[in-house]
Amino acid sequence: MWRLFSSLWRLFTGHSGRQAKNPYATFGTTDESTANETFGDAMVSPPEPPRHQRKPKADQRYPRLTKFRYQPERVSDREHAPQIVTGAPYRYSNPFVVSPGMFLDMSNDLRPERLDRWELPLLKTPQDLADWLQLPLGKVAWLTDRFTEANRPVDASKSHYHYCWKQKKSGGYRLIEAPLPLLRQVQEQILDEILSSVPVHPAAHGFCSGRSVITNARPHVGQQLVIKMDLDNFYTRVRYARVVALFRSLGYSREVALWLARLTTSAVPSNLPFPGGEPKQLRLFLARHLPQGAPTSPAIANLVAYNLDVRLAGLTRSFKVQYTRYADDLTFSGGEDLQYCSRVFLPLVSQIVRDERFQMHATKRKFLLPSCRQQVTGVVVNEKTNISRKEFDRLKATLYNCVKTGPAAQNRNAHADFQAHLRGRIAYVQQLNPARGAKLLDLYQQIRW
């Protein structure tokens, strides 16, 4: 049928239907140099290939990053490998299953020079850890689930955590794992005397001393485009092996690193009730992970994400883009160049996140232009750091009603110290907008407590 149509077309139009191989034949020339001399700058470029010869859109590849493999100074494996010894070198040492009566000594790879760098406590064996925590060694082993099957609690009543499912605004559920008092006391000591001494990346602003949501939003003030992205299940995706590697990198022996990692991670019971009748909600929490609700989890997550911050900071520097991270919230901002290169920039960001074993939240991606309210971690950054009008009006109405009807009627959330609660919210507004904060402070001083 196609041949018949082509023959009829050539018959009526007189065209052969074949394109000339020489693109300059249209101008009556057969040589490219002759065409340049004849037509100069007015010479047309060779025609584009037909549509059926163009590269399909699905085959178009975005640029890829080649990960730079940093090779640190390697330590001899023979010198710091676990030694096989006769008899237990310390309590709760692991037996060498191949030879009965033999044990593994995993306390010889301590790196004192690294511990001295950050002035961390020198802990070599589990007994040193128990003495530092001022607890019996058996109780510390009990906190690490050493005496339970598969090193996880049998059920929720035998666990060291209190579990609570919270529904997310974006859909799905969040598991809050709050440690019980004794474990919380141990974790707070690990946080105060070990984790808080190690600095995090300058781009990390969440749960860091001297940094806040305001310092996280300040680099993005007055930008043409603000891009907000979110990491999915940030704490849960930090597994037990990565926490062990973190404590090992600080200089602790392999044995102490294992104990510290077990004290700061959680493995939920396999029979824990899950919401919505969907077992896949529980699957993510079965492996030992960072619990959301433990005091040590934010600090460990920031240190584990150090490589992520380094790579994203280097990428944004090459694109002349500002970058900050507050826990799992990633924020990028820049001028008009970012608008044009976002199609190249965002796939590179996603690749770095995947390489560092995190995952982007597919639905939590926002592009904020100056024509809308650019809000970063609750702070408006269009022209300066400011509080949103809606939040200011709500707090102003609460203070006004406290003056008229008394503060007891306005304490709807039953705050234990409602006076300190209001004063703290006013201080937050004063940091963002001193003029508005002064108005709220005048209303606050008129309240009869």
Side-chain angles (χ1 to χ4, degrees), residues 3 5-18:
R3 292 181 179 180
F5 178 78
S6 301
S7 301
L8 293 175
W9 177 261
R10 290 194 299 269
L11 179 63
F12 287 104
T13 61
H15 295 291
S16 63
R18 298 180 180 177

Side-chain angles (χ1 to χ4, degrees), residues 79 218 307 339 375 425:
E79 180 182 356
R218 193 169 290 150
N307 287 343
Q339 301 182 26
Q375 194 166 358
R425 293 179 62 182

